[in-house]
Amino acid sequence: MFRRRAKFKSPRLLKRRRRGIISRLILYPLLLLSVFLGLSFLSSARFLLIEKVEVYGNQAVAEEDLRNLVEAELKGSFLGLFSKRNIFLYPKKLVEAKLVNQFERLSSVGISLKNFKILRVEVKEREAAAIWCRRRTSDEEEGRNKEKLSEIDEALSEECFFVDTLGFIFASSADSPGDSFLRYEGEISSASPVGSYFWERVDAKKVSDFLTSLKSLEVKPVEITKEDNDKVTVALNVNANLILNLKDNWQRAFENLVTLVSEPEFKKNNSGNLISPFAYIDLRFGNKLLYKLK
């Protein structure tokens, strides 16, 4: 049998290898640091920086306010190394989210680069589909007798807010909107209306679709009242009310409504549209409709 000979390394060779390992341990971090510093310097190069912010699509929201928020988010650097104004590194998603969160009037924000120098901020503002009003809470207003208020005093005693098609309350109305908007009546869960929802999102879609369907009957809703027991009353411009349950299928309720008002016995009594003969129609009981004629 043969024995394997032990391998011996000279002290000089071991020392040389140790120096090589130590050199690599020092050289590689220095090389990596140099790369980071080089990229950091490059990220701040003038030809790679955003020079200007332009805002488009705003009407109610001040352009200066929007631009100031964007400029604030472009200040500084990531990790203290990479400029946030760099055309490849700027925090696009963060800026878009902050604009929508800070300005309730904005429904969407899109950011893009123009000519690799200009940051283009395209905003879309919410459109008012209705108003929601509440009584002012001052001692003076609370002490008034509502029945004795004139129309002007009544308007001044209310604080109104704009609501979009999703039921989102997004802004206060400085002046009384009068009868130019559909009016929502009912309680909301928040003490601060702006930023709150009058409808749950699924309910807002249901209501919006129902109101769109009503156009085919040539009537216009003027007020919608929401009660705690899910009862919803839609007051129409022909002095008639539609009563629904918020949890029901409103598309089916509309189909039942059309079937009822299209009956020959009611059509002959209408004065301009199919719903005008009715004082109210209760649509909460499926195919069984309750109604009262005028």
Side-chain angles (χ1 to χ4, degrees):
M1 296 181 65
F2 298 96
R3 290 184 178 181
R4 181 179 295 179
R5 292 183 179 181
K7 294 183 179 180
F8 296 98
K9 297 180 180 179
S10 67
R12 180 181 297 178
L13 181 59
L14 291 174
K15 189 174 182 180
R16 185 183 302 169
R17 289 191 174 182
R18 276 199 300 269
R19 283 202 301 265
I21 293 173
I22 293 173
S23 298
R24 286 193 292 272
L25 289 176
I26 296 175
L27 180 61
Y28 289 165
L30 286 177
L31 182 61
L32 186 61
L33 179 61
S34 299
V35 171
F36 270 96
L37 290 176
L39 292 175
S40 174
F41 177 79
L42 185 62
S43 75
S44 300
R46 187 172 181 179
F47 68 94
L48 290 178
L49 296 182
I50 295 168
E51 295 181 354
K52 185 180 179 182
V53 175
E54 293 182 349
V55 179
Y56 299 88
N58 63 301
Q59 292 182 346
V61 182
E63 180 179 337
E64 183 179 0
D65 293 340
L66 296 171
R67 186 184 295 109
N68 287 343
L69 187 147
V70 176
E71 289 286 359
E73 293 301 320
L74 295 179
K75 289 182 179 179
S77 57
F78 298 107
L79 303 175
L81 295 173
F82 307 107
S83 174
K84 291 184 178 181
R85 295 191 76 91
N86 186 277
I87 59 176
F88 299 111
L89 302 177
Y90 71 95
K92 176 181 177 179
K93 295 298 183 183
L94 177 64
V95 175
E96 290 175 342
K98 285 202 171 184
L99 284 170
V100 171
N101 290 335
Q102 184 157 330
F103 298 97
E104 285 85 0
R105 272 190 175 271
L106 302 183
S107 61
S108 64
V109 176
I111 294 179
S112 60
L113 280 173
K114 178 181 176 182
N115 300 329
F116 293 97
K117 289 293 182 183
I118 299 173
L119 195 67
R120 179 186 174 94
V121 181
E122 187 85 29
V123 302
K124 183 178 181 181
E125 295 184 352
R126 299 180 187 274
E127 296 182 2
I131 60 166
W132 174 81
C133 301
R134 66 178 180 182
R135 296 278 296 171
R136 296 188 186 275
T137 57
S138 67
D139 294 337
E140 179 182 356
E141 295 296 344
E142 288 179 353
R144 289 186 178 185
N145 184 341
K146 185 176 180 179
E147 295 179 355
K148 295 181 180 180
L149 288 174
S150 67
E151 291 184 3
I152 296 178
D153 287 336
E154 181 69 29
L156 292 175
S157 71
E158 290 185 326
E159 184 180 16
C160 295
F161 301 84
F162 292 117
V163 188
D164 69 4
T165 55
L166 296 176
F168 183 74
I169 303 173
F170 62 89
S172 174
S173 171
D175 302 316
S176 176
D179 298 328
S180 56
F181 287 96
L182 170 65
R183 185 183 180 97
Y184 287 158
E185 292 285 347
E187 298 297 322
I188 62 172
S189 58
S190 175
S192 301
V194 176
S196 303
Y197 283 89
F198 182 80
W199 305 105
E200 297 291 338
R201 293 203 174 194
V202 62
D203 295 331
K205 179 67 166 56
K206 180 189 300 185
V207 173
S208 178
D209 290 345
F210 184 79
L211 297 184
T212 300
S213 298
L214 283 178
K215 293 179 181 179
S216 64
L217 297 178
E218 299 181 351
V219 292
K220 179 182 178 182
V222 294
E223 183 174 295
I224 299 180
T225 302
K226 178 183 67 173
E227 299 181 22
D228 292 337
N229 58 357
D230 292 322
K231 177 183 176 182
V232 177
T233 302
V234 181
L236 304 175
N237 62 334
V238 292
N239 197 27
N241 291 337
L242 304 178
I243 305 173
L244 302 102
N245 187 302
L246 198 56
K247 296 187 182 300
D248 289 345
N249 184 328
W250 283 28
Q251 178 59 37
R252 185 170 301 169
F254 177 76
E255 293 170 358
N256 292 336
L257 171 65
V258 172
T259 300
L260 173 67
V261 300
S262 299
E263 291 290 333
E265 61 180 297
F266 301 128
K267 291 180 70 174
K268 65 182 180 181
N269 295 323
N270 76 71
S271 57
N273 63 69
L274 297 175
I275 298 183
S276 58
F278 297 88
Y280 73 81
I281 302 174
D282 196 331
L283 303 165
R284 292 176 294 173
F285 306 101
N287 294 330
K288 182 180 179 181
L289 305 184
L290 305 180
Y291 62 87
K292 179 181 179 181
L293 297 174
K294 294 176 182 175

